[in-house]
Amino acid sequence: EAGVAQSPRYKIIEKRQSVAFWCNPISGHATLYWYQQILGQGPKLLIQFQNNGVVDDSQLPKDRFSAERLKGVDSTLKIQPAKLEDSAVYLCASSLVGEGAAEAFFGQGTRLTVV
Amino acid sequence: GQNIDQPTEMTATEGAIVQINCTYQTSGFNGLFWYQQHAGEAPTFLSYNVLDGLEEKGRFSSFLSRSKGYSYLLLKELQMKDSASYLCASIYNQGGKLIFGQGTELSVKP
């Protein structure tokens, strides 16, 4: 089966610009996660969707970050305006169910550099 | 929050055994995952524990003690390709939040 698809793979923008990332989860996976991974750290959960509803976005900086999952399939994560500290890899993951033990499958990530 | 703690880095010798420990907050806990992440790549699934005890899968084993909020990943017969970051992640009842630790950077030396 096809894996989690993310685009773009790399993005370089100037601070105060806007950027958007796209994720297509594995078909049939109800849960979708967006993580931010700064170099040398573990992935930090930004937002979790169950179908098209938000389960948790407690660590999403809502003044500049937004995410949506239209029709419970694809998702986009947007940063507007970007700051230098947003430089990181943005990982999308999906799993079959929200509670209990479903393994999360990760996409290759988008490496964002803010200059 | 759901604090997850694991050592930042470890070094081991090729052919040896290494144990990577992880502690987590037990409130609302619903299972523990271990992932492997090579530099520049996405995390890949290694193991899952929900009940107390040891789960063995080839050279890798994972242990869980729910009462102690403790897990470890055991890697046997280390190979150079095992050099990577090992991520401990807990899933919690509140909507199945999957929270990661900081990762343990393992260096395997000849």
Side-chain angles (χ1 to χ4, degrees), chain A residues 35 37 42 48 98 100-101 103-104 107, chain B residues 30 35 37 42 45 48 95-96 98 102:
Chain A
Y35 289 90
Q37 188 172 28
Q48 177 184 337
E103 168 194 349
Chain B
N30 203 29
Y35 282 80
Q37 187 176 28
F45 170 79
Y48 171 73
L98 184 60
Q102 66 185 21

Side-chain angles (χ1 to χ4, degrees), chain A residues 22-23 27 29-30 33 38 41 77 91 109-110 114:
Chain A
W22 174 81
C23 173
S27 178
H29 280 195
Y33 306 88
I38 292 171
Q41 299 182 17
L77 176 70
L91 294 164
T110 296
V114 183

Side-chain angles (χ1 to χ4, degrees), chain A residues 44-70:
Chain A
K44 171 188 169 185
L45 180 64
L46 293 176
I47 189 167
Q48 177 184 337
F49 292 95
Q50 177 97 353
N51 296 307
N52 61 348
V54 176
V55 172
D56 186 272
D57 62 357
S58 57
Q59 296 207 81
L60 187 74
K62 298 180 185 64
D63 58 335
R64 298 185 301 107
F65 286 62
S66 64
E68 60 182 8
R69 189 181 185 195
L70 299 175

